[in-house]
């Protein structure tokens, strides 16, 4: 019997061999945890559409962030849930110096060494739930919205944030935010743009978590069509020209081909957003026994393998215990 000279199984023979020859590895510093701070809350409250995820008060949220930091987490992205009574047509709570996000940033910077990233958008702060200023109907007014997004980013910088992450998908927002930050001597604050953000059905649990669903209409006029591919490259090119420091693809699992394309075309750090729907779908499958928790690691590894340098994921608390 003639045996092959090359036996691929030699590289798979035991766990130690597999570990040292693994081409793509998931590390603790690759993970960014998204956390929700809710104004007026005491303690924490469960997010019904996201198993084992919560909205936090300032104290409880920072306490949890410290726990994750002690396990090796390096960065966190902050989302705010304001008092419903404070929401208005222009999203004033988004750029209030005493807003929930601004308070969370200050407290996180005072009490942790985490890299603090802030989501910059208006949707959860406006009475209508859109990511920009609207007219009498549901049309989002791009250029007017830029002024308020820049004010929001500036307020986060003044609170001490390391990175601002505009998620609104208004045209030109990276350039306007960069200009405002530079004008106010925040040249060192980085921008992590949601460069490629699709109008996805997988955002539904997040909108419940952040209380940010549009009261009328939808976001398809400013978020990308799921059928478009080359448009993603154009979006990244424009953001780079305007001064972004990071690129992002959102969602991640259903757009692995886009992550790969962006990685092959650009040299900036690339973030994949493992969104709420992807999280909740998998957690539900695990709860019913259809999947095991091993599927979590495999799915995150696929995002990294596709080309993402960093992954925003609600799975971070679980994965940190395994890495």
């Amino acid at each position: 019997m003639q045996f092959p000279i090359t036996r691929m199984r030699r590289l798979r023979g035991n766990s130690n061999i597999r570990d040292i020859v693994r081409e793509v590895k998931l590390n603790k510093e690759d993970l960014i945890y998204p956390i929700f701070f809710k104004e007026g809350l005491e303690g924490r409250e469960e997010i019904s559409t996201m198993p084992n995820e919560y909205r936090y008060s300032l104290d409880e949220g920072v306490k949890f962030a410290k726990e994750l930091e002690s396990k090796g987490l390096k960065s966190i992205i902050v989302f705010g849930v304001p008092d419903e009574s404070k929401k208005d047509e222009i999203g004033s709570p988004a750029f209030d110096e005493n807003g929930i996000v601004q308070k969370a940033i200050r407290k996180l910077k005072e009490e942790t060494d985490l890299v603090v990233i802030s989501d910059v958008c208006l949707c959860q702060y406006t009475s209508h739930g859109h990511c920009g200023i609207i007219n009498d109907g549901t049309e989002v007014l791009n250029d007017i919205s830029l002024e308020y997004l820049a004010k929001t980013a500036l307020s986060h910088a003044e609170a001490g944030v390391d990175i601002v992450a505009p998620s609104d998908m208004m045209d030109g927002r990276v350039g306007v935010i960069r200009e405002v930050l530079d004008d106010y001597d925040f040249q060192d604050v980085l921008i992590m743009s949601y460069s490629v953000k699709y109008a996805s059905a997988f955002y539904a649990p997040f909108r419940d978590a952040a209380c940010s669903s549009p009261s009328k209409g939808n976001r398809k006029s400013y978020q990308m069509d799921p059928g478009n591919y080359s448009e993603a490259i154009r979006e990244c090119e424009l953001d780079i020209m305007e001064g972004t420091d990071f690129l992002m693809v959102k969602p991640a699992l259903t757009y692995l081909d886009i992550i790969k394309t962006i990685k092959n075309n650009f040299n900036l750090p690339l973030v994949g957003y493992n969104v709420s729907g992807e999280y909740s779908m998998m957690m539900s499958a695990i709860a019913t026994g259809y999947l095991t928790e091993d599927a979590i690691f495999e799915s995150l590894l696929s995002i990294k393998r596709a080309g993402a340098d960093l992954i925003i994921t609600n799975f971070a608390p679980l994965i940190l215990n395994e890495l």
Side-chain angles (χ1 to χ4, degrees), residues 306-323:
D309 300 293
L310 299 165
I311 304 171
I312 300 174
T313 180
N314 295 91
F315 286 123
L318 288 169
I319 293 297
L320 287 170
N321 292 326
E322 304 299 323
L323 294 177

Side-chain angles (χ1 to χ4, degrees), residues 184-203:
Y184 283 84
D185 294 328
F186 291 109
Q187 296 92 341
D188 293 333
V189 173
L190 296 96
I191 297 177
M192 178 185 288
S193 176
Y194 287 62
S195 302
V196 182
K197 182 178 180 180
Y198 285 91
S200 172
F202 285 91
Y203 302 152

Side-chain angles (χ1 to χ4, degrees), residues 43-257:
R44 66 181 189 178
E45 65 180 14
E46 188 174 359
I47 299 171
S48 61
T49 53
M50 298 180 69
N52 299 330
E53 286 292 286
Y54 302 88
R55 304 178 193 91
Y56 293 93
S57 67
L58 280 175
D59 288 342
E60 283 296 310
V62 173
K63 178 182 177 183
F64 186 53
K66 288 179 178 179
E67 292 175 10
L68 296 180
E69 184 180 24
S70 71
K71 296 178 180 180
L73 187 73
K74 298 295 183 182
S75 50
I76 196 164
I77 184 166
V78 177
F79 296 88
V81 183
D83 188 318
E84 283 287 330
S85 66
K86 295 182 180 180
K87 295 184 178 184
D88 58 25
E89 290 292 305
I90 61 171
S92 297
F95 46 87
D96 183 347
E97 67 178 42
N98 292 312
I100 185 62
V101 167
Q102 289 79 358
K103 289 180 179 178
I105 291 167
R106 286 193 288 266
K107 194 170 180 64
L108 284 165
K109 293 307 296 181
E110 288 170 0
E111 299 186 27
T112 77
D113 289 319
L114 290 166
V115 174
V116 179
I117 308 162
S118 65
D119 178 76
V120 174
C121 199
L122 300 180
C123 57
Q124 62 262 51
Y125 306 98
T126 56
S127 52
H128 47 76
H130 277 284
C131 300
I133 309 304
I134 64 172
N135 60 11
D136 293 336
T138 58
E139 180 188 4
V140 175
L141 306 174
N142 190 97
D143 295 5
I144 295 173
S145 300
L146 298 181
E147 173 188 346
Y148 295 97
L149 292 165
K151 289 176 67 174
T152 301
L154 178 60
S155 72
H156 294 178
E158 290 171 337
V161 81
D162 298 295
I163 305 171
V164 293
S167 63
D168 54 282
M169 288 301 285
M170 298 298 116
D171 291 333
R173 87 271 202 210
V174 171
V176 170
I177 289 171
R178 184 72 272 160
E179 182 178 4
V180 168
L181 292 176
D182 290 354
D183 285 347
Y184 283 84
D185 294 328
F186 291 109
Q187 296 92 341
D188 293 333
V189 173
L190 296 96
I191 297 177
M192 178 185 288
S193 176
Y194 287 62
S195 302
V196 182
K197 182 178 180 180
Y198 285 91
S200 172
F202 285 91
Y203 302 152
F206 173 92
R207 290 174 182 171
D208 174 63
C211 306
S212 62
S213 296
S215 58
K216 293 181 181 179
N218 55 54
R219 295 175 179 154
K220 293 182 179 180
S221 69
Y222 46 101
Q223 294 178 359
M224 288 177 54
D225 189 299
N228 290 359
Y229 179 87
S230 60
E231 184 182 8
I233 297 175
R234 294 184 65 196
E235 287 282 6
C236 290
E237 287 173 340
L238 290 167
D239 282 357
I240 291 170
M241 289 171 59
E242 293 174 21
T244 192
D245 299 288
F246 298 80
L247 299 171
M248 187 191 300
V249 175
K250 180 183 180 183
L253 285 178
T254 45
Y255 295 88
L256 294 175
D257 59 324

Side-chain angles (χ1 to χ4, degrees), residues 10-22 25:
R10 283 198 288 261
L11 296 173
R12 307 168 191 158
N14 60 61
S15 61
N16 288 335
I17 294 295
R18 291 192 296 272
D19 285 346
I20 67 170
V21 300
R22 184 168 295 127
K25 298 181 180 181

